[in-house]
Amino acid sequence: LAFFSDFVSEGRADLLRHFLECDWHKVTYTEAVECLLSASERGDAKFEYPVEWGCDLQTEHERYLCEKVFEGTPVFVTDYPKDIKAFYMRLNEDGKTVAAVDLLVPGIGELVGGSAREERLEILEGNMKKHDVLESLWGDRGVRGYG
């Protein structure tokens, strides 16, 4: 932490200690968008980039969530719309979202993201066809047959 404070950003060591001690939160993408829309409608927030379900969250949205809505704590946002994520992410049962997650932290926004990969070959192939990559990524299909 001392190295980080001395060479990267003064005071960040205290922020990292805060992360170790505070509660972390989890919301779905849909809940996050509802929070942002509500804040905008109340006049509590004015965003440069408009917010609507299906938009890719911008840094200003991510930072507002963890700095204002969740009062300076890290937030996991899950279940993003399939249309704004990669074709290989696992489709959720609702057919509209994928099993993806981003970790948002105060002062930065998205720190890291991840997702489950689509293991159901018929869904993966359908997504590959939709994105016109079925033939160029034939190896992905073969690997999926082994788990």
Side-chain angles (χ1 to χ4, degrees):
L1 289 177
F3 175 84
F4 194 77
S5 188
D6 291 344
F7 295 102
V8 178
S9 181
E10 188 176 327
R12 293 294 179 166
D14 293 334
L15 183 61
L16 292 174
R17 278 189 207 91
H18 168 69
F19 292 164
L20 292 174
E21 298 167 1
C22 71
D23 291 332
W24 290 34
H25 301 277
K26 176 186 161 226
V27 295
T28 66
Y29 169 90
T30 299
E31 292 166 335
V33 167
E34 288 169 356
C35 287
L36 295 168
L37 287 172
S38 179
S40 185
E41 289 168 2
R42 286 191 316 270
D44 293 343
K46 184 172 172 31
F47 299 115
E48 180 180 349
Y49 296 94
V51 179
E52 63 181 3
W53 199 93
C55 76
D56 203 1
L57 297 180
Q58 302 297 311
T59 300
E60 66 176 338
H61 306 138
E62 297 167 341
R63 289 189 60 187
Y64 186 86
L65 286 167
C66 54
E67 293 170 12
K68 303 295 184 191
V69 176
F70 293 100
E71 301 173 338
T73 61
V75 181
F76 286 100
V77 179
T78 65
D79 303 317
Y80 281 81
K82 69 177 182 178
D83 292 336
I84 62 170
K85 292 295 184 179
F87 72 89
Y88 52 77
M89 293 186 180
R90 190 177 202 285
L91 187 65
N92 289 334
E93 289 184 23
D94 64 11
K96 299 184 298 185
T97 61
V98 292
V101 61
D102 288 340
L103 173 59
L104 314 181
V105 295
I108 296 173
E110 180 184 346
L111 181 63
V112 66
S115 70
R117 301 304 193 245
E118 185 58 72
E119 82 284 1
R120 297 164 294 185
L121 190 56
E122 64 282 352
I123 294 175
L124 179 63
E125 285 181 343
N127 289 343
M128 293 173 84
K129 286 177 186 173
K130 179 180 175 188
H131 289 86
D132 198 28
V133 295
L134 184 61
E135 295 309 316
S136 60
L137 296 177
W138 62 267
D140 282 21
R141 293 187 339 233
V143 171
R144 297 291 199 259
Y146 298 100

